[in-house]
Amino acid sequence: MLPPEALALERLLIRRKDLAGALLNVDMFDRWGPKDGPEHAQMMADGAAAQRDHSAVTAELTALATATRARSPEVVRAWAEAHIDLLKRFIASHPDPSDDTARFVAKEESTAWHKVAAGDLPFVDENCFYIHIDPAHHAEWFGPR
């Protein structure tokens, strides 16, 4: 299990990824759902709220990651290394050719997490569609969700 500072970073990252999923849902609805009516109005209102929350959590995560790196760079490195491990496991568990895109996205994210470990990025803009980390593997690093 990682130190509390890394767990705080992870909670914000999870919230950000959950909001990205909500925004993806709104985008799909906007493309393929009804263009008017109460359902459309509600979805657009929900999307606006999710966008505000996503912007706020992104700012909070950026600030916390920057402050944590300044105080304890080893915590941010450990957080990044945990994600690199989780992505390696994801890649290994998706050998089917139909998972080529997911593996590609995971490799790109892994490269970005290496940049976080090196201090070049505050966090990774994780993919909310292709990458779904096994909850048990995630819990090994971060505890139950």
Side-chain angles (χ1 to χ4, degrees), residues 121-132:
L121 284 176
F123 62 90
V124 173
D125 184 15
E126 294 184 312
N127 186 284
C128 66
F129 184 76
Y130 286 106
I131 308 299
H132 299 281

Side-chain angles (χ1 to χ4, degrees), residues 2-57:
L2 293 173
E5 298 91 342
L7 299 180
L9 289 166
E10 187 64 11
R11 279 190 300 278
L12 289 172
L13 187 67
I14 288 169
R15 177 74 178 129
R16 186 176 189 277
K17 190 172 182 178
D18 289 346
L19 287 164
L23 290 170
L24 176 62
N25 188 45
V26 171
D27 181 63
M28 290 186 295
F29 184 92
D30 191 40
R31 289 174 193 238
W32 297 296
K35 301 301 179 207
D36 57 10
E39 187 180 19
H40 181 267
Q42 184 63 54
M43 184 61 77
M44 294 304 108
D46 292 348
Q51 185 60 61
R52 283 190 304 275
D53 291 349
H54 188 270
S55 295
V57 79

Side-chain angles (χ1 to χ4, degrees), residues 22-125:
L23 290 170
L24 176 62
N25 188 45
V26 171
D27 181 63
M28 290 186 295
F29 184 92
D30 191 40
R31 289 174 193 238
W32 297 296
K35 301 301 179 207
D36 57 10
E39 187 180 19
H40 181 267
Q42 184 63 54
M43 184 61 77
M44 294 304 108
D46 292 348
Q51 185 60 61
R52 283 190 304 275
D53 291 349
H54 188 270
S55 295
V57 79
T58 297
E60 188 177 354
L61 178 57
T62 301
L64 185 59
T66 302
T68 303
R69 174 163 305 286
R71 250 187 347 269
S72 306
E74 70 281 358
V75 168
V76 176
R77 265 193 309 280
W79 180 48
E81 289 168 5
H83 279 277
I84 292 165
D85 173 67
L86 292 170
L87 289 164
K88 282 180 186 175
R89 292 160 130 191
F90 175 86
I91 291 165
S93 68
H94 290 80
D96 192 88
S98 67
D99 292 324
D100 284 353
T101 302
R103 282 194 311 278
F104 173 82
V105 172
K107 288 175 186 173
E108 292 291 308
E109 283 190 12
S110 182
T111 297
W113 278 110
H114 280 283
K115 290 178 181 179
V116 172
D120 298 330
L121 284 176
F123 62 90
V124 173
D125 184 15

